């Protein structure tokens, strides 16, 4: 076979960068950015596609456990045997405990469109048997900031709110690092283009690395305290009446109550929490009041805090009352006629795990909260869960307390894992199914950047590996609901498009198909174009931008964006004992969640885990560059090597996703989540406190 070039999408992670692959004799040998596409990009791990795909560690055949749980001993099995065994195990649990004893979870590495839909989306797997416990990585990523927060405030998901970079005078990047985020990197490019046009870039982040180095003004902030900074600015703006009075009077709900709350706090108090000087806070407030043409980019950096949803709501309120929503150069609402936001009611019977503890999360997302699964497995609270299906995920490494998760897997009656490489979960699995990389799949996918695109197969599946969707179809067929999923590539294409053959034909003839854009209209809240009923306002229960959220109040919490500082949790230790604040999980262009530290070629790029620490802190503690240090909280301590850099004083950052049995070198020895906890979370979303944990740093013992 002759060498050939194929354009398509990168298949190492689900983030859909456009690439050009070189194929020799049917094998992928090189991946480069698609130079003809604005979405063309290849990150360091994408550049290692050949090594990853053809790694000797790839799982390419079904396996059945033959040793004890945790030993990782398996024998190769046929697909028929493995499917029969998996179906038998799950159906036995259903018969003994009921369908709700079955749960599924798809992880970050598996959030390809088809896999998400088939496990936790509209065709969620165990729902076909009557279980409410199909869950996803949305329980610990994305949904708090991008779904729960905007819906409880504007009634509109973040995906429909676009930063108008092209016309912005100020760009604020807050709690995200666009330079290192996964995906084609278009937001980063838009920021740089805006800067070239003269836009002023403000970056609010504990770490300067990445976007902070590009900023005109970098504001280092204490992790977890973003709400305090936003409230301090709001206090200044409200008390000095620098807000948009017409917008506040006509289109907001709860402003008077909020004003009373602001009287109870001081700028000095909030400054102490966030580590930003009062004068800097005032200058920042003045800067944001200088124009309505200011855009905001926020992401997961805000999600893992004690009052995460309320912290981000405070930021959205800051933008709203200064006139920056649905205006040129601000946060444009791309769409209209939205139905009024409502909560799904937690069912009286057959309640999803975690829905009672986190009714707002369930009410908006429609799923249980996976962080509550250990209680159901180990304590039968609120009822027993005995069977678990996991796809492309490692809760043992991406949630705190690996030993707890080992106990969970030990206690389960049956565990099935779809994977590409060995994991903590596979060590305890009864059946393992080999899943393809995305290079080996044929399936339509969508993106807010480029609409719909056909992911054309770059190479044929290796070994006996199958698309996750087709694995689930085969298993479902053995369990009596195979018709719910597509069998073939052709069926899968139509299934993903809900039977839209016209769209499929367009995709086969073009690179991508964007949905038809509505004509640009500003201030649609004035004209009635935002609400389905055609009335002015926002699609919220009050019909207004809700400073005091009705949906949050409906769940029994205060609707105001009240700030709660991590230091208020006495059980996490005093400031004298644990003077620093730990933040974790900043994005890496090399690693992806728990994927990476097991790949030898990736480890050559990042040979060991480093903890970022301020020069002043390092000097005070007698720490040198590259020296081994321990990060310690009340829950334990973990080793890292020191990386002295520009970061908020009193703050330390460490990477997550390591500590797995299959990992290499120092990555195997370290897991920062071991010093975090399953017990402390944002009360509204259930998101755990990875990015705001009191700690101390000690030298190697």
């Amino acid at each position: 076979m002759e060498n050939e070039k194929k354009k398509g999408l990168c298949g190492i992670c689900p983030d859909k960068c456009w690439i050009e692959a070189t194929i020799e004799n049917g094998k992928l040998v090189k991946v480069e950015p698609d130079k003809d596409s604005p979405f063309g990009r290849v990150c360091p791990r994408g550049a290692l596609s050949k090594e990853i795909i053809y790694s000797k560690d790839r799982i390419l055949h079904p396996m059945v456990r033959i040793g004890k749980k945790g030993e990782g001993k398996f024998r190769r099995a046929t697909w028929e045997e493995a499917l029969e065994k998996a179906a038998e195990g799950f159906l036995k649990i259903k018969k003994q405990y009921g369908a709700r004893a079955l749960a599924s979870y798809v992880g970050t590495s598996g959030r390809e469109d088809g896999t998400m839909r088939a496990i936790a989306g509209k065709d969620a797997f165990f729902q076909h048997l009557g279980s409410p416990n199909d869950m996803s990585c949305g329980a610990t990523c994305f949904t708090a900031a991008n779904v729960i927060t905007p819906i409880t405030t504007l009634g509109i998901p973040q995906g429909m709110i676009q930063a108008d970079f092209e016309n912005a005078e100020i760009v604020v990047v807050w709690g995200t690092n666009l330079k290192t985020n996964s995906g084609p990197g278009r937001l980063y490019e838009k920021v740089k283009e805006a800067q070239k046009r003269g836009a002023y870039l403000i970056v609010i982040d504990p770490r300067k690395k990445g976007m902070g180095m590009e900023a005109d003004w970098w504001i280092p902030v204490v992790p977890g305290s973003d709400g305090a900074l936003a409230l301090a600015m709001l206090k200044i703006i409200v008390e000095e009446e620098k807000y948009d009075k017409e917008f506040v009077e006509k289109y907001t709900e709860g402003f008077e109550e909020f004003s009373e709350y602001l009287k109870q706090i001081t700028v000095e108090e909030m400054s102490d929490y966030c580590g930003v000087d009062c004068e800097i806070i005032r200058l920042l407030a003045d800067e944001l009041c200088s124009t309505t043409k200011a855009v905001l980019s926020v992401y997961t950096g805000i999600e893992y805090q004690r009052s995460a949803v309320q912290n981000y709501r405070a930021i959205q309120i800051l933008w709203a009352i200064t006139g920056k929503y649905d205006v040129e150069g601000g946060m444009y609402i791309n769409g209209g006629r939205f139905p009024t936001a409502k909560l799904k009611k937690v069912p009286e019977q057959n309640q999803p795990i975690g829905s009672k503890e986190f009714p707002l999360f369930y009410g908006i997302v429609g799923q249980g909260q996976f962080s509550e699964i250990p209680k159901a497995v180990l304590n039968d609270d609120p009822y027993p869960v005995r069977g678990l299906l996991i796809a492309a995920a490692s809760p043992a490494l991406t949630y705190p307390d690996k030993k707890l998760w080992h106990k969970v897997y030990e206690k389960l009656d049956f565990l099935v894992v779809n994977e590409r490489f060995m994991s903590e979960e596979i060590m305890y699995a009864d059946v393992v199914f080999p899943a393809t990389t995305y290079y080996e799949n044929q399936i339509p996918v969508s993106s807010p950047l480029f609409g719909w695109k056909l992911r054309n197969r770059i190479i044929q599946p290796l070994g006996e590996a199958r698309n996750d969707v087709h694995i689930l179809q085969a298993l479902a067929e053995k369990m009596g609901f195979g018709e719910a999923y597509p069998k073939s590539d052709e069926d899968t294409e139509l299934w993903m498009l809900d039977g839209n053959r016209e769209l499929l034909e367009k995709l086969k003839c073009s690179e991508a198909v964007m949905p038809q854009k509505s004509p640009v209209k500003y201030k649609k809240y004035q004209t009635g174009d935002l609400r389905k009923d055609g009335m002015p306002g926002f699609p919220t229960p009050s019909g207004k931008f809700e400073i005091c959220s009705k949906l949050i109040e409906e769940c029994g919490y205060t609707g105001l964006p009240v700030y709660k500082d991590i230091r208020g949790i006495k059980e996490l230790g005093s400031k004298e004992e644990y003077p620093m604040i730990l933040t974790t999980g900043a994005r890496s262009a090399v690693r992806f969640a728990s994927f990476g530290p097991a790949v030898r070629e990736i480890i050559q790029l990042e040979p060991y885990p480093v903890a970022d620490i301020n020069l002043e802190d390092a000097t005070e503690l007698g720490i040198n560059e590259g020296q081994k240090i321990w990060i310690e909280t009340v829950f334990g301590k973990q080793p890292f090597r020191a990386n002295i850099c520009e970061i908020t004083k009193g703050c330390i950052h460490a990477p997550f996703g390591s500590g797995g049995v299959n990992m290499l070198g120092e990555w195997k020895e370290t897991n920062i989540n071991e010093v975090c906890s399953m017990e402390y979370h944002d009360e509204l979303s259930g998101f755990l406190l990875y990015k705001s944990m009191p700690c101390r740093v000690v030298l190697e013992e």
Side-chain angles (χ1 to χ4, degrees):
M1 183 182 295
E2 295 183 0
N3 296 352
E4 60 176 322
K5 300 277 191 178
K6 285 187 179 181
K7 289 191 175 184
L9 296 175
C10 184
I12 292 302
C13 84
D15 283 317
K16 303 164 187 165
C17 298
W18 292 38
I19 56 96
E20 183 175 75
T22 302
I23 310 296
E24 291 183 2
N25 299 319
K27 291 186 66 174
L28 185 147
V29 296
K30 189 176 183 180
V31 173
E32 299 170 289
D34 182 349
K35 296 178 182 178
D36 298 324
S37 169
F39 314 111
R41 178 177 182 241
V42 173
C43 71
R45 61 178 177 267
L48 292 170
S49 293
K50 173 187 173 183
E51 288 77 11
I52 293 169
I53 292 171
Y54 301 110
S55 167
K56 63 181 181 60
D57 297 322
R58 269 285 300 272
I59 295 171
L60 296 176
H61 307 283
M63 299 189 297
V64 170
R65 178 169 56 82
I66 55 174
K68 295 179 181 179
K69 289 184 178 181
E71 286 185 335
K73 293 182 179 179
F74 297 90
R75 64 170 174 81
R76 181 172 170 176
T78 65
W79 268 101
E80 182 67 19
E81 179 192 9
L83 289 167
E84 288 280 1
K85 186 173 180 63
E88 180 184 351
F90 286 142
L91 291 175
K92 182 179 178 181
I93 291 169
K94 178 179 180 292
K95 183 177 181 180
Q96 184 173 354
Y97 297 98
R100 67 183 186 177
L102 298 171
S104 66
Y105 185 76
V106 56
T108 302
S109 295
R111 59 174 172 76
E112 180 70 313
D113 300 34
T115 310
M116 290 292 285
R117 172 172 174 165
I119 290 187
K122 65 196 303 184
D123 292 302
F125 192 76
F126 284 128
Q127 74 171 354
H128 296 285
L129 296 178
S131 173
N133 292 319
D134 295 298
M135 306 183 213
S136 76
C137 52
T140 189
C141 184
F142 184 83
T143 53
N146 291 275
V147 183
I148 297 173
T149 297
I151 286 180
T152 56
T153 311
L154 295 84
I156 301 167
Q158 194 67 36
M160 304 303 294
I161 305 170
Q162 297 181 350
D164 184 9
F165 290 104
E166 289 76 10
N167 297 298
E169 295 174 355
I170 297 174
V171 175
V172 180
V173 177
W174 196 333
T176 185
N177 199 332
L178 303 178
K179 195 170 183 179
T180 58
N181 276 353
S182 299
R186 279 297 292 156
L187 291 183
Y188 171 68
E189 292 173 6
K190 286 188 175 184
V191 170
K192 298 308 293 178
E193 290 165 4
Q195 277 189 294
K196 289 178 182 178
R197 287 192 298 270
Y200 189 69
L201 174 60
I202 301 170
V203 173
I204 303 172
D205 196 292
R207 302 164 76 234
K208 191 173 186 180
K209 183 179 180 181
M211 289 306 298
M213 299 177 74
E214 309 274 350
D216 298 296
W217 190 9
W218 171 55
I219 300 175
V221 64
V222 173
S225 68
D226 303 272
L229 177 57
L231 286 171
M233 285 189 280
L234 283 162
K235 181 177 176 68
I236 293 169
I237 291 167
V238 169
E239 292 186 353
E240 296 183 2
E241 298 187 6
K242 293 181 177 180
Y243 55 88
D244 183 330
K245 294 181 178 62
E246 180 183 5
F247 178 83
V248 166
E249 181 180 342
K250 292 183 178 180
Y251 301 107
T252 68
E253 171 75 15
F255 182 75
E256 290 184 6
E257 299 160 78
F258 183 53
S259 298
E260 288 300 312
Y261 169 64
L262 291 176
K263 291 177 183 178
Q264 300 171 29
I265 66 173
T266 67
V267 173
E268 291 75 17
E269 176 190 14
M270 296 298 109
S271 171
D272 286 342
Y273 285 138
C274 69
V276 180
D277 290 342
C278 293
E279 185 58 31
I280 297 296
I281 293 174
R282 177 169 292 279
L283 290 172
L284 181 57
D286 289 344
E287 188 73 35
L288 289 178
C289 288
S290 68
T291 180
T292 60
K293 294 185 175 183
V295 296
L296 172 69
S297 182
V298 178
Y299 195 35
T300 60
I302 311 293
E303 292 186 310
Y304 309 105
Q305 306 178 358
R306 187 182 175 195
S307 50
V309 169
Q310 296 290 25
N311 287 354
Y312 187 17
R313 289 189 68 247
I315 297 170
Q316 291 190 323
I317 292 165
L318 177 61
W319 249 251
I321 71 168
T322 54
K324 298 174 176 55
Y325 270 103
D326 218 24
V327 296
E328 184 181 56
M331 302 304 290
Y332 179 68
I333 299 173
N334 186 25
R337 300 295 179 178
F338 297 100
T340 300
K342 295 180 180 179
L343 296 179
K344 298 178 179 66
K345 299 294 183 183
V346 176
E348 293 292 329
Q349 304 294 326
N350 212 30
Q351 290 182 355
I353 297 298
S355 60
K356 187 176 180 180
E357 292 83 356
F358 304 106
L360 184 69
F361 180 88
Y362 173 76
I364 292 178
V365 180
Q367 293 180 5
Q369 175 46 268
F370 192 73
S371 63
E372 295 293 301
I373 278 287
K375 296 176 184 177
V377 175
L378 298 175
N379 305 322
D380 296 351
D381 179 17
Y383 52 78
V385 167
R386 292 292 181 265
L388 183 59
L389 168 66
I390 292 179
S394 184
L397 301 186
T398 54
Y399 286 77
D401 200 343
K402 182 170 70 172
K403 290 180 181 178
L404 174 71
W405 287 98
H406 286 179
K407 291 177 182 177
V408 168
Y409 303 147
E410 183 76 39
K411 178 80 179 288
L412 287 169
D413 289 358
F414 207 74
L415 174 62
V416 172
V417 177
N418 296 359
E419 258 299 356
R420 296 151 187 82
F421 292 91
M422 180 59 70
S423 68
E424 294 289 307
E425 287 62 31
I426 286 177
M427 297 292 288
Y428 291 84
D430 295 280
V431 175
V432 179
F433 292 121
T436 49
T437 67
Y438 306 131
Y439 283 119
E440 300 157 82
N441 292 346
Q442 180 78 22
I443 190 169
V445 296
S446 64
S447 165
L449 292 175
F450 52 74
W452 280 99
K453 180 175 175 61
L454 193 60
R455 180 189 283 284
N456 288 307
R457 181 174 287 115
I458 300 292
I459 57 171
Q460 292 300 312
L462 272 64
E464 295 182 86
R466 296 184 185 180
N467 184 331
D468 285 281
V469 174
H470 297 158
I471 293 173
L472 295 173
Q473 191 283 328
L475 180 56
E477 195 160 289
K478 295 290 184 183
M479 297 172 69
F481 55 96
E483 72 285 349
Y485 303 103
K487 268 189 176 183
S488 65
D489 288 341
E490 294 74 19
D491 291 342
T492 303
E493 290 171 345
L494 281 173
W495 175 72
M496 283 300 298
L497 301 174
D498 294 323
N500 190 335
R501 291 184 180 277
E502 181 181 355
L503 176 55
L504 179 58
E505 290 307 312
K506 287 182 179 178
L507 289 175
K508 289 180 177 180
C509 298
S510 60
E511 286 192 336
V513 176
M514 283 292 292
Q516 188 172 0
K517 286 190 175 182
S518 304
V520 174
K521 294 181 181 179
Y522 295 117
K523 296 188 177 182
K524 293 184 285 297
Y525 53 82
Q526 293 181 347
T527 61
D529 289 318
L530 282 186
R531 291 171 52 172
K532 189 175 182 180
D533 61 11
M535 298 294 291
F538 291 82
T540 60
S542 67
K544 297 182 178 182
F545 182 100
E546 294 193 347
I547 295 172
C548 186
S549 171
K550 301 294 185 185
L551 295 179
I552 293 176
E553 287 184 332
E554 191 178 322
C555 294
Y557 303 98
T558 177
L560 292 173
V562 173
Y563 175 71
K564 293 183 179 181
D565 194 74
I566 192 67
R567 294 292 185 185
I569 303 177
K570 294 180 180 179
E571 292 80 3
L572 299 182
S574 68
K575 193 169 185 178
E576 291 70 31
E577 294 176 290
Y578 299 96
M580 302 187 76
I581 296 292
L582 166 69
T583 181
T584 73
R587 298 294 175 91
S588 165
V590 177
R591 293 170 288 103
F592 185 82
S594 59
F595 173 78
V599 180
R600 298 179 191 281
E601 289 78 10
I602 286 179
I603 293 302
Q604 291 175 5
L605 300 177
E606 286 191 5
Y608 45 78
V610 299
D612 299 328
I613 188 169
N614 179 283
L615 174 59
E616 191 174 341
D617 289 324
T619 302
E620 290 176 2
L621 293 167
I623 295 171
N624 298 315
E625 177 70 24
Q627 184 174 1
K628 191 169 185 179
I629 61 174
W630 294 80
I631 298 176
E632 184 175 13
T633 71
V634 294
F635 305 107
K637 60 183 181 179
Q638 288 290 298
F640 293 86
R641 295 201 201 182
N643 175 45
I644 299 172
C645 61
E646 293 187 86
I647 188 170
T648 304
K649 179 170 169 44
C651 162
I652 191 163
H653 168 267
F656 92 115
S658 57
V661 66
N662 59 324
M663 294 183 179
L664 304 170
E666 293 178 32
W667 288 98
K668 187 173 184 176
E669 303 168 11
T670 298
N671 183 348
I672 193 60
N673 285 351
E674 292 295 278
V675 304
C676 298
S677 170
M678 293 288 292
E679 297 302 317
Y680 298 94
H681 45 69
D682 167 38
E683 64 183 4
L684 299 182
S685 65
F687 275 39
L688 300 163
L689 309 186
Y690 301 107
K691 291 186 180 289
S692 51
M693 186 64 63
C695 72
R696 62 187 173 209
V697 177
V698 295
L699 299 180
E700 183 178 7
E701 297 178 342

